[in-house]
Each structure stands twice: as C-alpha cells, then as structure tokens.
Amino acid sequence: AENYVYRFNGGVDKNTVIKCRSKLTQWSRMNPGCQMEIVFASPGGSITAGFELFDYIQQLRDRGHKVTTGSLGMAASMAGILLQAGEHRWIGHQSWILIHRASFGAIGKTFEIEDEVGWIKRIEERIISIFTSRSTLTRLKIKRNWDRKDWWINADEALEMGLVDEVRGKLPEHDE
C-alpha cells in the first residue's frame, strides 16, 4: 500500500498551500479514499491561505479520506490551526504549538481600518471555534491566554488540552 505523507515545511502562504493542495488532489484522484498524512513544521503565515487548506482537508475527509495531521518542530500560528484539521492529530514530543491573536497591518482611512478590524475580529471568532471544537479549551481560556502574549504549548500540554490525540517520540523516563 502506498504511504501518502506530505511534509509541510515553512510558512503558510498562497504558494505553499497550492503546492500542498495539488499533491493531496493527486493522491485523492489516484487512490480514492486513501489515508493521507500532513506533517507540519511551520511558523504559520497567512490566515486566508491557511483557511483554504483547512477547508480542503475537510472536503477530503467528507469524501472518505482519513487525513492525519502531525507536527515536528513547531506548528505555530496558522499551522497550529491546520494541525486541528486532521481526523487524528499527533505531535512530536519536542514540538511546540503556538496560539496567538490574528495580526494584520491596516493602512488607510479610519473607516477602512475599522472595517479591517471588524473582519479580523470575525476571523478570530472562527479560530476560537476551531480550537474549542477540537479540544477541551474554552473560549475564555483561549482569550485569557492569547490576549497576554504568544501562547507556546508543549507536546504534553497539547495532549492534556486535547489539541492533539497522541504524542510521538517521547523518551522513556529514568529514575534518578
């Protein structure tokens, strides 16, 4: 059986999303219903490009593909959101997830900036919905933690919070 593993390395942007989608599409057409895995090692990036890939992964799942998502190194920002797209989610023991508020630069007249801020707040609500639907985190806990600063979460904490289903590569514990 073919092993379909896509390594998503680097930032989330229009080009990396197109590249990933085209490979997943190829696998889907060659082998309808096959299992696929996407491993993120990413500092994150574009929210809109990331949402495009998130929705596409959901479409693949709806078409009968089992999509596993994982992370080695880090799944920061948008990559942490994309990690939530898989049916089964795993993280390497030395990996980190970063959750933080959406960041955009807005230039223009006051009403244009106000419109942009309103849209960003709507995007943040979507992000919160994804995290609360796929974990034990509450809206309040997310808002409390991401308002303060970047919220770095290690593999064990991610498992405890339900952000992943499995931690891989954990070293055996030794007695002192």
Side-chain angles (χ1 to χ4, degrees), residues 42-54:
S42 173
S46 166
I47 293 172
T48 50
F51 276 163
E52 177 186 340
L53 182 55
F54 190 96

Side-chain angles (χ1 to χ4, degrees), residues 105-125:
I107 298 170
K109 296 178 181 71
T110 305
F111 70 88
E112 292 167 335
I113 293 171
E114 287 169 349
D115 289 347
E116 183 92 352
V117 168
W119 180 59
I120 293 162
K121 286 180 177 176
R122 292 173 68 194
I123 284 176
E124 287 183 339
E125 287 302 314

Side-chain angles (χ1 to χ4, degrees), residues 57-58 61 67-69 82-89 134:
I57 293 167
Q58 300 316 304
R61 290 177 61 190
V67 182
T68 297
T69 49
L82 285 165
L83 179 61
Q84 303 308 307
E87 185 177 328
H88 182 79
R89 304 153 303 158
R134 294 298 325 257

Side-chain angles (χ1 to χ4, degrees), residues 139-172:
R139 302 176 72 71
L140 182 63
K141 177 146 182 152
I142 293 168
K143 285 186 172 186
R144 215 181 258 151
N145 282 285
W146 81 356
D147 271 344
R148 214 179 53 225
K149 59 182 173 26
D150 286 350
W151 183 20
W152 287 99
I153 300 165
N154 71 31
D156 293 324
E157 292 165 339
L159 183 63
E160 204 174 283
M161 294 175 198
L163 290 166
V164 294
D165 305 300
E166 176 190 4
V167 175
R168 294 184 181 172
K170 193 167 182 173
L171 297 170

Side-chain angles (χ1 to χ4, degrees), residues 3-176:
N3 191 8
Y4 299 106
V5 179
Y6 188 86
R7 301 203 178 277
F8 194 107
N9 296 309
V12 176
D13 60 43
K14 194 75 181 156
N15 292 330
T16 57
V17 166
I18 288 169
K19 192 174 162 195
C20 181
R21 276 190 61 182
S22 71
K23 182 50 82 177
L24 299 178
T25 300
Q26 182 186 354
W27 292 339
S28 173
R29 288 186 178 147
M30 282 174 20
N31 190 348
C34 67
Q35 293 188 24
M36 301 180 200
E37 185 168 7
I38 308 163
V39 182
F40 294 96
S42 173
S46 166
I47 293 172
T48 50
F51 276 163
E52 177 186 340
L53 182 55
F54 190 96
D55 286 344
Y56 187 68
I57 293 167
Q58 300 316 304
Q59 289 172 17
L60 289 170
R61 290 177 61 190
D62 289 345
R63 291 204 306 260
H65 292 280
K66 181 180 184 210
V67 182
T68 297
T69 49
S71 176
L72 293 171
M74 71 172 157
S77 191
M78 191 64 219
I81 296 163
L82 285 165
L83 179 61
Q84 303 308 307
E87 185 177 328
H88 182 79
R89 304 153 303 158
W90 64 269
I91 190 169
H93 191 245
Q94 306 310 322
S95 295
W96 294 81
I97 295 173
L98 169 64
I99 296 176
H100 65 79
R101 294 194 70 171
S103 57
F104 284 79
I107 298 170
K109 296 178 181 71
T110 305
F111 70 88
E112 292 167 335
I113 293 171
E114 287 169 349
D115 289 347
E116 183 92 352
V117 168
W119 180 59
I120 293 162
K121 286 180 177 176
R122 292 173 68 194
I123 284 176
E124 287 183 339
E125 287 302 314
R126 288 280 173 93
I127 292 167
I128 289 171
S129 292
I130 289 168
F131 282 123
T132 56
S133 72
R134 294 298 325 257
S135 72
T136 60
L137 292 173
T138 62
R139 302 176 72 71
L140 182 63
K141 177 146 182 152
I142 293 168
K143 285 186 172 186
R144 215 181 258 151
N145 282 285
W146 81 356
D147 271 344
R148 214 179 53 225
K149 59 182 173 26
D150 286 350
W151 183 20
W152 287 99
I153 300 165
N154 71 31
D156 293 324
E157 292 165 339
L159 183 63
E160 204 174 283
M161 294 175 198
L163 290 166
V164 294
D165 305 300
E166 176 190 4
V167 175
R168 294 184 181 172
K170 193 167 182 173
L171 297 170
E173 306 215 0
H174 293 286
D175 294 331
E176 291 298 313

